[in-house]
Amino acid sequence: KDISAKSFVLAQLKGRLLSNDESISEQDLRRELLKQNLEAKSRQLEDANKELDDCDAIIRHLSEEIQNLSNSLVGYELKQSVKTAKRDKIQQKVNEAETAIKEKLHQVSLLKELEKNLEGFAYSVKSVLKASKNGELKGIIGTVSQIIDVDSKYAVAIETAIAGAMQNIVVSNEDSAKRAIEFLKQTNGGRATFLPLTSVKGERMNDSTLKNSEGYIGIAADLVKYDEKYSSIIFSYLGKIVIVEDLDCATAMAKQNGYKFRIVTLDGQVINAGGSYSGGSVSKNSGFLSRRTEIEKIEQ
């Protein structure tokens, strides 16, 4: 009986031992699975950390690029601002230039209209010139102002030197002058002065002693452009007139030469032969030459 009881207890103990062994085996298996799982998770964590590091590097790189691009954008915006300001200034200058051109073109149009209508010429002179244009008179060449050209800087002086003779009419010969005078008589057109190429004579004065004088510019005849066939007429009006810079120079020259010849300054002041003075203000573009030189200057 005692042996049976002990055998039963031993059997129970063996069963429990077997059960514990199985439990231990299960625990070992679970521990091994957990270990494997832990190792897998560790590898995943390492991979994740590596990927995170890569992402951090990419983020840093992108941040640097963003900063560089931001700096470049600021630079380009500054350059664009400067260029825009320059463009606006250029556009303003273009607008001003276009306005000035329009004004000049309008001015030229007005001046040409004055030229076309012979504005400023005496009625008698207009009549003769129009009659010549219409074929009623032959041998009419034009006024003194029409046969010469002059640089704008000398225009006032030359107009002053020639004075009223600007409207005198150059003709081919004495017969042309007589026919024109008869035309004015018949049409009650007034009076005019005619300059036949065949009869008008003129000479150029010797200026060798004047060339070293202060302010000396030249003999008036040398400062105008004209066809050589008109030289006698040009010399008759401008061959014995000296052009100088200003009235002080004119006064000194006149005194040194005994007031023997006429002196005209660039701004139109005059010391006449004999010692009288003429002068004052001169209206801009009021003369025939000034008007024409102004047209040429604007059209250049």
Side-chain angles (χ1 to χ4, degrees), residues 91-256:
Q91 186 61 52
Q92 182 181 356
K93 289 182 179 179
V94 168
N95 293 339
E96 292 173 353
E98 287 178 344
T99 300
I101 289 172
K102 288 179 182 178
E103 291 176 353
K104 291 294 185 181
L105 290 175
H106 179 64
Q107 185 179 355
V108 167
S109 178
L110 291 177
L111 291 173
K112 284 186 173 180
E113 192 65 21
L114 293 177
E115 285 283 287
K116 179 181 177 182
N117 296 330
L118 302 174
E119 191 68 28
F121 286 100
Y123 177 77
S124 57
V125 176
K126 287 183 180 181
S127 297
V128 171
L129 294 179
K130 288 179 180 179
S132 172
K133 186 176 181 180
N134 295 334
E136 299 177 54
L137 288 174
K138 303 295 184 182
I140 306 299
I141 296 172
T143 63
V144 172
S145 66
Q146 292 173 330
I147 66 169
I148 63 175
D149 284 314
V150 60
D151 290 339
S152 58
K153 59 185 175 181
Y154 303 132
V156 171
I158 297 301
E159 284 174 343
T160 303
I162 299 178
M166 278 285 188
Q167 298 194 51
N168 290 354
I169 301 172
V170 180
V171 295
S172 299
N173 50 48
E174 292 92 329
D175 288 337
S176 299
K178 290 192 295 182
R179 285 195 298 269
I181 291 173
E182 186 62 28
F183 168 80
L184 289 175
K185 285 172 62 179
Q186 291 177 358
T187 59
N188 199 26
R191 300 174 64 84
T193 298
F194 297 91
L195 307 171
L197 292 177
T198 52
S199 63
V200 176
K201 305 298 178 186
E203 295 180 350
R204 181 189 182 283
M205 66 181 289
N206 186 341
D207 62 340
S208 58
T209 60
L210 304 176
K211 291 182 177 180
N212 295 324
S213 300
E214 184 178 359
Y216 175 78
I217 293 176
I219 301 300
D222 297 340
L223 302 178
V224 297
K225 302 168 189 175
Y226 54 91
D227 191 301
E228 189 63 28
K229 63 185 177 184
Y230 304 132
S231 58
S232 292
I233 291 174
I234 301 304
F235 287 153
S236 70
Y237 288 114
L238 300 175
K240 295 183 179 180
I241 297 176
V242 177
I243 307 298
V244 298
E245 289 183 0
D246 54 46
L247 195 55
D248 289 336
C249 295
T251 300
M253 180 181 290
K255 287 181 179 180
Q256 291 172 1

Side-chain angles (χ1 to χ4, degrees), residues 1-39:
K1 187 177 180 177
D2 290 337
I3 293 173
S4 296
K6 288 180 180 179
S7 295
F8 176 74
V9 171
L10 180 60
Q12 282 185 330
L13 289 174
K14 286 182 177 179
R16 289 175 62 185
L17 179 61
L18 182 60
S19 177
N20 285 336
D21 287 341
E22 290 177 354
S23 178
I24 288 172
S25 295
E26 289 177 1
Q27 293 295 325
D28 287 341
L29 180 59
R30 289 181 63 190
R31 185 182 64 181
E32 184 63 28
L33 291 174
L34 289 173
K35 182 180 178 182
Q36 291 177 359
N37 191 27
L38 178 61
E39 289 176 352

